[in-house]
Amino acid sequence: MPQSRSERIAGICIYIILSFITLLVLYPLFFVLIASISAPETVMRGEVWLWPKELSFVGYERLFANSELMRGFLNTLLYTATGTALNVMMTIAAAYPLSRADFNGSGLFTAIIVFTMFFSGGMIPNYLLVKELGMLDTIWAMIIPSAVSVWNIIIMRTFFQSSIPKEMQEAAFIDGASNMRVLLRIVLPLSGPILAVMVLFYAVGHWNSYFSALIYLSDRANYPLQLFLREILVQGQMQEMVDISDDSLTRSLMDAEAIKYAAVIVTNLPMLLLYPFLQKYFVKGVMIGAIKG
């Protein structure tokens, strides 16, 4: 439809404002990227603004040369892959029965599950429970306590109720299909958007998780990458990556700054690469699962 002059002006203003906000959001990440590949001395002198200067990869070299960081990276991949797979399976196992109108007691079970979203035992009882179960300093301490999210159960249940045709399920039951067969052959193949959203939610949560590791893990061999990043950025622990006995203090401080920028990029890159592949499902899955029902 043709737009009036005032509508065109309003549209241009909206695009300008959104573009400005986008630049404000993206520039910090862009600056970290160009700073990580610039000579540390140019970054410390404030000469790096829009383009890298005097290309240098010393931060990445020191980072990848550290065996603890590489082990932390592998640990994070293991925690994320295993945890996300378990999360999605348990969310489906809870959401599908609750979405069925013929499931007696679904309202009661939903109320009990939602109750746990607002009230919990607290950090100390959780720690004691994990300790009594013998999961301290194991992979299960990073996965089992956060095995399922109540909010995600509600989203997936609503998606199943509003987006999966009940007629198809009834026709399958008439043909003799079991509940498990209906779930595997009809419901899940039609639930691509919400499954992609769940994978994204859970994967990002596991990848960024550090507080659980801070509480339950004491062996550095089991540390995820986020704990090492915390040591680098918050606590400033660079002793194992920057050998002051070999270099001057000034050179060591410069290398430490380069390592900080490189660590941020390495830590966030996998999730940044994951978003474009799931973005087309993201809005659709969340909106369908949240608005209706």
Side-chain angles (χ1 to χ4, degrees), residues 174-193:
I174 293 175
D175 290 339
S178 62
N179 282 302
M180 184 61 68
R181 192 175 185 86
V182 170
L183 174 63
L184 297 178
R185 294 297 183 89
I186 296 177
V187 176
L188 293 185
L190 296 176
S191 303

Side-chain angles (χ1 to χ4, degrees), residues 164-174 186:
I164 307 299
K166 294 181 177 60
E167 294 78 6
M168 294 181 64
Q169 300 181 53
E170 293 172 355
F173 286 129
I174 293 175
I186 296 177

